[in-house]
Amino acid sequence: MTDTDITTTGADWAAWQESWDRQQEWYMPDREERFRIMLDMIEALVGPAPRVLDLACGTGSITARLLKRFPEATSTGVDLDPALLAIAEGTFAADERVSLVTADLKDPEWPARLPYDSYDAVLTATALHWLHREPLAALYGQVAELVRDGGVFMNADHMIDESTPRINAAERALRHARMDQAKADGALDWAEWWQLAAKDPVLAEPTARRFEIYGEHAEGDMPSVEWHARVLREKGFGEARPVWCSPSDTLLLALKQRGPAA
């Protein structure tokens, strides 16, 4: 189910999903680990049959892993990127557990496009750093209204601690050295992946529209873990803290308060 008008016949969607995963793993070799912890926390806090909002869903990477682990789950994917939504639509076209929505998260009215008023969990990964602090804080307020009492929000993303510049520089140097080696071994980067998409008969048109919307790459903010946790508590979550981290990224979990604190 989708409100996009993309024709999805004639493409190997499994191959495009695999290609997207490999391209993303070039930047984040520990990508699967953050997804595993995310799903562990889903099981721990809201159970094995959650209603999930996959926020800035892209190709549906989170949704695919959610449904594989929790077959009774349902997922609403929301994004604005027509090319990545085309891949998601092709992947989940026959799956009644999945609905896809085209919406701009900077539009104050985007929640009105969703099929449900509330969710057990809202999940997102490596996407919200495209937003600057002010629109991100506003988005967190909308997310807080969508998460049911006792539900969770999780954001896995780049969260920079500016108080440790030497540690940051050393980590970045090692990470980029490894990326350079992987690139020499044939890994695709972001730009090269999109060049392939632009040449695909099915994805060429939505890819062109995608670059009309976003340009080459949007530059948002990467505030600290403390900023994210503070803003989420201010917007209505009772608890917020990291549940996983790497030297550069964090998976932050916010729990919607269930009744008065003990």
Side-chain angles (χ1 to χ4, degrees), residues 167-188:
I167 295 173
N168 298 349
E171 182 279 325
R172 187 179 187 279
L174 177 61
R175 176 162 41 92
H176 280 262
R178 290 176 173 172
M179 290 169 68
D180 289 344
Q181 182 58 57
K183 187 78 182 302
D185 293 338
L188 292 178

Side-chain angles (χ1 to χ4, degrees), residues 82-123:
L84 299 185
L85 280 173
I87 297 173
E89 167 65 11
T91 300
F92 301 108
D95 197 327
E96 294 183 351
R97 298 170 296 176
V98 179
S99 56
L100 297 171
V101 174
T102 301
D104 184 349
L105 297 180
K106 292 184 287 186
D107 178 356
E109 303 302 319
W110 72 267
R113 302 186 67 106
L114 301 176
Y116 303 105
D117 293 331
S118 69
Y119 289 85
D120 300 308
V122 178
L123 309 177

Side-chain angles (χ1 to χ4, degrees), residues 31-231:
R31 184 169 177 255
E32 292 300 328
E33 182 69 5
R34 71 193 69 194
F35 289 148
R36 182 184 69 80
I37 299 299
M38 183 180 281
L39 298 181
D40 282 350
M41 293 298 97
I42 288 289
E43 184 173 357
L45 288 163
V46 298
R51 177 191 292 169
V52 169
L53 177 60
D54 187 350
L55 195 66
C57 65
T59 66
S61 297
I62 291 175
T63 291
R65 288 154 179 81
L66 172 80
L67 298 179
K68 182 178 180 180
R69 178 157 166 182
F70 304 123
E72 296 182 16
T74 58
S75 180
T76 302
V78 59
D79 208 302
L80 185 61
D81 189 314
L84 299 185
L85 280 173
I87 297 173
E89 167 65 11
T91 300
F92 301 108
D95 197 327
E96 294 183 351
R97 298 170 296 176
V98 179
S99 56
L100 297 171
V101 174
T102 301
D104 184 349
L105 297 180
K106 292 184 287 186
D107 178 356
E109 303 302 319
W110 72 267
R113 302 186 67 106
L114 301 176
Y116 303 105
D117 293 331
S118 69
Y119 289 85
D120 300 308
V122 178
L123 309 177
T124 189
T126 328
L128 300 189
H129 63 272
W130 286 51
L131 298 176
H132 291 286
R133 281 172 172 79
E134 185 174 340
L136 180 55
L139 178 64
Y140 279 173
Q142 293 174 307
V143 168
E145 293 178 0
L146 288 167
V147 175
R148 68 161 172 82
D149 194 32
V152 298
F153 168 67
M154 280 183 269
N155 178 17
D157 211 340
H158 315 311
M159 299 183 188
I160 304 301
D161 186 340
E162 296 180 352
S163 71
T164 59
R166 288 182 294 175
I167 295 173
N168 298 349
E171 182 279 325
R172 187 179 187 279
L174 177 61
R175 176 162 41 92
H176 280 262
R178 290 176 173 172
M179 290 169 68
D180 289 344
Q181 182 58 57
K183 187 78 182 302
D185 293 338
L188 292 178
D189 64 18
W190 173 268
E192 290 167 332
W193 191 90
W194 282 109
Q195 289 168 9
L196 288 180
K199 295 175 182 176
D200 182 85
V202 176
L203 290 178
E205 189 273 335
T207 295
R209 286 194 284 123
R210 182 245 179 240
F211 280 95
E212 289 176 0
I213 295 169
Y214 292 108
E216 289 299 320
H217 199 290
E219 295 297 335
D221 290 335
M222 286 183 259
S224 68
V225 171
E226 291 75 18
W227 183 93
H228 288 274
R230 174 179 57 79
V231 172

